[in-house]
Amino acid sequence: MDDGRLLPKGGGYRRLLSFRNAQIIYDLTVAFCYLSRDARTTDQMVQAARSGKQNIAEGSMASATSRETEIKLTNVARASLEELLLDYEDYLRMRGLRLWDK
């Protein structure tokens, strides 16, 4: 953004690649967790995926009035998605499956 904002001012988050990716991650996580037997872990995974997506949207909406809130919510989204990544890595590690390179 040319005004130094992290997210579109006052909305527009649906155009962001980060939001669209977070939405895909959420959808895939729900599908993945549907197949799992560990209800506690999968519930946390779905909530982390949802939190990543929702906080991008909330941060975008808050950007119209508060840069501080925008940054805080963006960081919450990043932390939630990192938590989810660790859960997926644990799933692979515990099953002796290989983690693909980026």
Side-chain angles (χ1 to χ4, degrees):
M1 317 280 138
D2 55 6
D3 64 356
R5 295 192 169 277
L6 298 173
L7 302 171
K9 186 175 181 178
Y13 58 88
R14 291 181 188 273
R15 295 186 315 265
L16 291 172
L17 180 59
S18 60
F19 178 80
R20 292 191 318 254
N21 286 338
Q23 197 167 33
I24 291 166
I25 290 167
Y26 173 77
D27 293 348
L28 292 173
T29 298
V30 169
F32 173 82
C33 290
Y34 178 76
L35 302 173
S36 181
R37 293 189 175 101
D38 183 357
R40 178 163 162 65
T41 299
T42 57
D43 182 54
Q44 288 181 282
M45 290 175 72
V46 169
Q47 291 307 312
R50 182 182 183 282
S51 177
K53 179 177 71 78
Q54 297 300 104
N55 280 291
I56 291 169
E58 288 181 49
S60 176
M61 296 306 292
S63 70
T65 57
S66 173
R67 178 123 168 108
E68 181 181 344
T69 302
E70 172 191 16
I71 291 169
K72 178 183 173 191
L73 290 169
T74 300
N75 284 332
V76 170
R78 290 181 70 192
S80 294
L81 294 171
E82 181 67 23
E83 176 186 339
L84 179 61
L85 176 62
L86 290 173
D87 284 333
Y88 276 116
E89 288 174 355
D90 287 345
Y91 178 89
L92 294 172
R93 184 177 45 79
M94 296 299 290
R95 287 158 180 80
L97 301 171
R98 184 176 63 102
L99 178 64
W100 294 351
D101 294 328
K102 290 185 178 180

